[in-house]
């Protein structure tokens, strides 16, 4: 993050996230917190050049039958090496899902540097990947194996638990 070019790249990524909304955009996402001020003075909105993690917080709006009843707050943590290192994604809203650990950590091959991540991956693509996995879980690499097994072997019980969690913890969609 130390160079102005990278600050500009981050600013452009976040600007693209700001253009998304909860009803008509693809993906459906609302940005809630970023390292930039709301005014349009770019010099004042440049990210800090100090080597520290940057947090971006927003809400996703899945479309699958169970999860469409709520919105879920996620955090994307960017290291000082972003975009060369992938962001870490964590759910701040509790969710019952095979690809989300109990502590909220989310894993996707797009977010693994040794797998599919590249510095060309935009934050909008990260949000799309998160929503796609929530709507259609990847059962080959679950973060919670027991929930993945339940999803495959006893879908009605998984659906019941997931819907109960949505009703208890998910944020309103408006």
């Amino acid at each position: 993050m130390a160079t102005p070019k990278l600050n500009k790249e981050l600013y452009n990524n976040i600007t693209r996230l700001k253009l998304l909304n909860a009803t008509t955009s693809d993906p459906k996402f609302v940005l809630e917190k970023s390292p930039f001020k709301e005014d349009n003075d770019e010099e004042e909105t440049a990210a800090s050049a100090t080597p520290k993690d940057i947090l971006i917080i927003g809400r996703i709006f899945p479309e699958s039958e169970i999860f469409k009843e709520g919105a879920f707050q996620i955090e994307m943590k960017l290291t000082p090496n972003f975009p060369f290192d992938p962001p870490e994604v964590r759910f701040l809203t509790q969710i019952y899902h095979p690809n989300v650990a109990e502590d909220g950590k989310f894993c996707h091959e797009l977010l693994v540097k040794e797998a599919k991540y590249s510095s060309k991956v935009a934050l909008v693509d990260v949000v799309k990947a998160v929503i796609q996995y929530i709507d259609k879980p990847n059962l080959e690499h679950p973060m919670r194996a027991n929930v993945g097994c339940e999803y495959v072997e006893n879908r009605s019980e998984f659906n019941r638990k997931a819907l109960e969690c949505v009703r208890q913890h998910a944020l309103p969609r408006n």
Side-chain angles (χ1 to χ4, degrees):
M1 277 300 134
T3 68
K5 184 176 192 280
L6 293 182
N7 286 343
K8 179 97 170 146
E9 187 166 334
L10 178 60
Y11 183 79
N12 290 339
N13 260 286
I14 290 173
T15 299
R16 287 185 62 203
L17 287 176
K18 283 181 181 179
L19 296 174
L20 301 176
N21 62 63
T23 54
T24 60
S25 68
D26 180 29
K28 291 176 175 47
F29 178 80
V30 173
L31 182 67
E32 295 178 336
K33 178 184 178 220
S34 80
F36 299 106
K37 296 178 184 171
E38 285 302 310
D39 60 38
N40 290 327
D41 184 354
E42 200 168 319
E43 292 199 330
E44 286 190 34
T45 60
S48 169
T50 59
K52 61 181 178 180
D53 292 338
I54 293 172
L55 298 179
I56 298 168
I57 296 174
R59 283 180 289 143
I60 62 165
F61 300 83
E63 292 297 325
S64 62
E65 195 61 36
I66 293 167
F67 298 105
K68 72 179 180 183
E69 288 194 21
F72 301 86
Q73 193 175 52
I74 63 169
E75 169 189 271
M76 291 183 277
K77 182 168 83 172
L78 312 178
T79 69
N81 289 331
F82 178 82
F84 304 108
D85 286 343
E88 291 177 19
V89 176
R90 187 170 65 94
F91 275 73
L92 301 177
T93 305
Q94 187 175 331
I95 185 170
Y96 188 78
H97 194 278
N99 297 119
V100 182
E102 286 188 46
D103 66 358
K105 187 169 178 160
F106 174 82
C107 188
H108 188 288
E109 62 267 10
L110 186 68
L111 303 175
V112 179
K113 193 173 186 177
E114 295 77 25
K116 293 187 178 182
Y117 183 77
S118 85
S119 61
K120 304 248 184 272
V121 173
L123 293 177
V124 169
D125 297 325
V126 171
V127 171
K128 273 185 187 179
V130 171
I131 294 172
Q132 285 172 349
Y133 262 28
I134 295 305
D135 286 342
K136 294 181 181 146
N138 176 351
L139 301 173
E140 291 181 26
H141 304 288
M143 295 290 286
R144 290 193 267 181
N146 60 327
V147 177
C149 285
E150 184 179 70
Y151 184 90
V152 171
E153 296 170 5
N154 191 351
R155 180 71 64 86
S156 62
E157 182 64 8
F158 169 84
N159 289 349
R160 185 191 68 74
K161 289 178 181 177
L163 190 56
E164 181 180 315
C165 189
V166 168
R167 290 179 176 155
Q168 286 180 358
H169 302 285
L171 304 169
R173 286 184 76 99
N174 50 14

